[in-house]
Amino acid sequence: MIYSLHLKNFKPFEDQLIEFRQLTLLSGLNGMGKSSALQSLLLLRQSYQQRLLQRKRLALNGDLVSIGTAKDALFEGAKEELIGIKLIVEYREKMTWEWNFRYDQKADVLRTDIAPITQEIHDFSLFGNYFHYLQAERLGPRNVFEMSDYSVSQNFQIGTRGEYAEHFLYVFGDQKINTIGLEQKFSQNIPKNLERFKQNEPNKLSHPKEKSLLLKNQVKAWMGEISPGTRIHIDPIEGVDLMSLRYSFEMGKEVSSRYRNTNVGFGITYTLPVIVAALASIPGSLDLSLK
């Protein structure tokens, strides 16, 4: 868990402390720094994925976020030429991780002399597989959606635009929420942790009216809160790495025909990845989403 984020000279923040809880909502007017706060975490993650953070480097541009150069990242009225990111986290025990990156106006990779030990951060939720990030610009209704065995089956990701949410639901739909992928993750290394997670109470995320804890049933129940009676139908298309998505609707004791995803509006398609990401999260994971 991340307890706090302290930003120094980063975009709109000269010196800002942000404290987190298990559920944290950031709200405010445009341009006040909501996205910038999340971008600081994304910078650390993408730098780790590019194997730069391990070498005391920060990548300002990548798959998760593109800031530009150091000039774009530095607070306009900065009194010193450095960008600081400090995290207080709990991983096995409460600890502080801090980076102070040197300013280089035209550089898109920043350097620091001091960084946390790589092994300490290796399995933390911000850097591991159990991290979900949904950007504001997500995929709208499509007749077909992409499949990715690497992203979904191996790394438990739904895509930053929610592009693999349908494939994720198809692959893991028959697993119980809060246990998805635990066998794959812990089977060789930490069997005791696997048992501890399995004994955790998965009903904390479950819909109060749905007895089944299977992901597909829980997604259906929560989708019903947004669009009552919604049924989801996902099928792979033979010969190509694509998924077909259709919806039907319960009307009393009857069920409608299956409608193309493009014919049911944007709301359901935009909501589905958020629900899948939340229900797919095991204890200790981290979800970031922009409106």
Side-chain angles (χ1 to χ4, degrees), residues 57-238:
R57 306 287 190 273
L58 184 73
L60 295 179
N61 301 296
D63 293 335
L64 295 179
V65 61
S66 292
I67 300 295
T69 64
K71 183 178 180 181
D72 300 300
L74 187 71
F75 173 68
E76 187 173 352
K79 296 180 177 64
E80 51 184 333
E81 294 187 333
L82 67 84
I83 293 173
I85 303 176
K86 179 179 177 181
L87 294 176
I88 295 181
V89 306
E90 183 175 12
Y91 174 62
R92 296 177 181 164
E93 61 183 11
K94 199 169 184 178
M95 59 183 66
T96 299
W97 295 338
E98 185 171 7
W99 298 263
N100 288 302
F101 296 99
R102 295 195 298 273
Y103 176 72
D104 183 345
Q105 180 174 348
K106 297 181 180 181
D108 62 358
V109 175
L110 306 184
R111 301 169 180 243
T112 181
D113 294 325
I114 301 175
I117 301 172
T118 302
Q119 188 58 40
E120 290 181 344
I121 66 176
H122 179 68
D123 288 325
F124 187 65
S125 55
L126 179 60
F127 305 104
N129 288 339
Y130 283 94
F131 170 94
H132 297 294
Y133 165 59
L134 287 173
Q135 62 185 33
E137 186 181 358
R138 297 197 288 277
L139 290 184
R142 302 284 193 277
N143 285 324
V144 294
F145 290 85
E146 297 178 40
M147 298 173 63
S148 173
D149 181 71
Y150 174 78
S151 295
V152 174
S153 300
Q154 298 183 43
N155 292 309
F156 314 108
Q157 298 293 298
I158 64 172
T160 60
R161 296 176 298 151
E163 63 268 33
Y164 305 130
E166 291 75 18
H167 188 200
F168 191 100
L169 185 55
Y170 179 79
V171 171
F172 297 112
D174 288 322
Q175 291 192 23
K176 292 182 179 180
I177 58 174
N178 276 17
T179 66
I180 292 173
L182 286 178
E183 285 81 359
Q184 294 97 314
K185 184 175 182 182
F186 293 127
S187 59
Q188 296 180 350
N189 298 324
I190 322 176
K192 290 183 180 180
N193 277 15
L194 172 58
E195 292 305 318
R196 178 168 59 85
F197 278 124
K198 281 186 172 181
Q199 292 169 8
N200 216 304
E201 296 182 9
N203 59 359
K204 290 182 178 180
L205 290 177
S206 67
H207 192 281
K209 295 182 180 179
E210 176 56 60
K211 294 182 179 179
S212 171
L213 294 176
L214 298 184
L215 177 63
K216 62 182 181 183
N217 294 330
Q218 286 294 318
V219 168
K220 175 179 178 292
W222 284 111
M223 286 294 292
E225 296 292 329
I226 286 82
S227 179
T230 300
R231 288 189 178 186
I232 303 169
H233 308 277
I234 301 173
D235 298 292
I237 301 175
E238 293 186 9

Side-chain angles (χ1 to χ4, degrees), residues 42-57:
L42 296 174
L43 286 177
L44 293 176
R45 178 175 173 83
Q46 78 179 12
S47 300
Y48 183 84
Q49 290 181 317
Q50 294 179 25
R51 301 186 183 280
L52 290 173
L53 194 64
Q54 298 90 318
R55 295 189 284 122
K56 304 179 182 180
R57 306 287 190 273

